[in-house]
Amino acid sequence: MKLYTYFRSSASYRVRIALAYKGIAHEAAYVSLVKAEHQADAFRGVNAQGLVPALEDGGQVLIQSLAIMEYLEERHPVPPLLPKDPVERAYVRAVAQIIACEMHPLNNLRTLKHLRKALKLDEEGVNTWYRHWVAEGFGMLEAHLEREKRHGKYCHGDAVSMADCCLVPQVFNAQRYDCDLAPYPTLMRIFDDCMKLDAFAATQPMKQADATT
Ligand SMILES: N[C@@H](CCC(=O)N[C@@H](CS)C(=O)NCC(=O)O)C(=O)O
């Protein structure tokens, strides 16, 4: 398998965690977002969408981190990243989607670029935008976890799941933008517990071979 990845890409980090947690051997192909390599023809030939991650397996290219994690789950079910019960599976997928579908697209690189370029927002304006959507998303997620009471050590009980694979990278992003994370004690406690595991710690942005400061 070959994972097209960028160290700071949180969507790539989700898949790096899933691969590491399941112990799946793979090589990395680095696609620099700051050098706009994701928009170059060479990478568009891999993923026409021009986004990382992409995963090559047996000549097939898979895109979209949630779809890739589902694929890995089907091909390598042990250790699982989804619970067995259909209702619980839907719960985990919903938490993952709150982060990947409701939060991440609003603060993605191309969204922020558009705010700067087309809408002429300065850095302070962009940061305000960023922090607003983190506060809204994490605020809602914290309340959701507290109300559902399905979390334990991790987002769903004491088993690592796709929800954790999405949560941890989103916290890294939020920390990079100096978001106030104190209002989310449950999310941050889960984050801390995840980071005690190799699958999360070894795959974090600054530990990647393409990491730059
Ligand atoms: N929904 C996609 C999002 C992929 C995505 O947006 N990746 C970001 C990095 S985290 C990217 O390539 N951004 C480039 C850009 O916005 O120009 C997924 O989950 O894979």
Side-chain angles (χ1 to χ4, degrees):
M1 281 192 198
K2 189 199 279 187
L3 177 68
Y4 293 83
T5 174
Y6 177 62
F7 75 108
R8 276 213 175 102
S9 154
S10 58
S12 301
Y13 185 13
R14 293 172 199 152
V15 176
R16 293 198 301 261
I17 297 166
L19 286 165
Y21 187 69
K22 287 178 175 290
I24 301 171
H26 62 283
E27 57 174 304
Y30 300 108
V31 181
S32 168
L33 298 191
V34 281
K35 293 186 191 154
E37 288 172 358
H38 59 303
Q39 290 163 348
D41 287 348
F43 183 65
R44 288 228 188 240
V46 176
N47 178 4
Q49 224 193 342
L51 300 173
V52 286
L55 184 76
E56 224 172 86
D57 187 21
Q60 299 290 326
V61 176
L62 308 167
I63 62 168
Q64 289 289 336
S65 62
L66 296 181
I68 295 171
M69 286 196 289
E70 294 277 353
Y71 170 80
L72 294 175
E73 183 72 2
E74 286 170 14
R75 295 297 293 258
H76 302 267
V78 181
L81 280 171
L82 284 173
K84 282 204 160 51
D85 181 81
V87 171
E88 304 304 319
R89 289 164 85 84
Y91 177 81
V92 166
R93 287 178 170 128
V95 171
Q97 286 175 27
I98 287 171
I99 295 164
C101 307
E102 311 292 343
M103 292 180 71
H104 177 259
L106 288 160
N107 286 350
N108 203 350
L109 181 63
R110 63 193 180 286
T111 308
L112 304 185
K113 269 191 181 160
H114 189 67
L115 291 175
R116 285 189 194 101
K117 251 187 140 174
L119 304 179
K120 310 287 177 217
L121 244 62
D122 60 12
E123 275 320 290
E124 197 38 49
V126 171
N127 288 343
T128 302
W129 166 281
Y130 196 104
R131 290 172 193 147
H132 169 79
W133 293 114
V134 168
E136 208 207 61
F138 276 170
M140 193 271 284
L141 190 54
E142 177 86 8
H144 182 60
L145 260 60
E146 283 308 325
R147 199 189 54 205
E148 291 289 324
K149 304 223 178 307
R150 292 173 203 240
H151 62 281
K153 204 165 180 189
Y154 307 114
C155 286
H156 184 260
D158 292 331
V160 170
S161 71
M162 284 179 198
D164 305 298
C165 297
C166 291
L167 173 66
V168 166
Q170 201 66 31
V171 170
F172 267 87
N173 280 357
Q175 287 173 332
R176 206 172 140 230
Y177 275 81
D178 279 333
C179 298
D180 178 14
L181 298 174
Y184 324 115
T186 300
L187 297 182
M188 292 311 292
R189 202 265 307 137
I190 293 171
F191 171 81
D192 289 340
D193 276 325
C194 286
M195 291 309 291
K196 289 177 191 151
L197 303 176
D198 265 3
F200 291 81
T203 53
Q204 66 182 282
M206 291 315 289
K207 297 231 168 126
Q208 301 314 295
D210 62 331
T212 53
T213 46

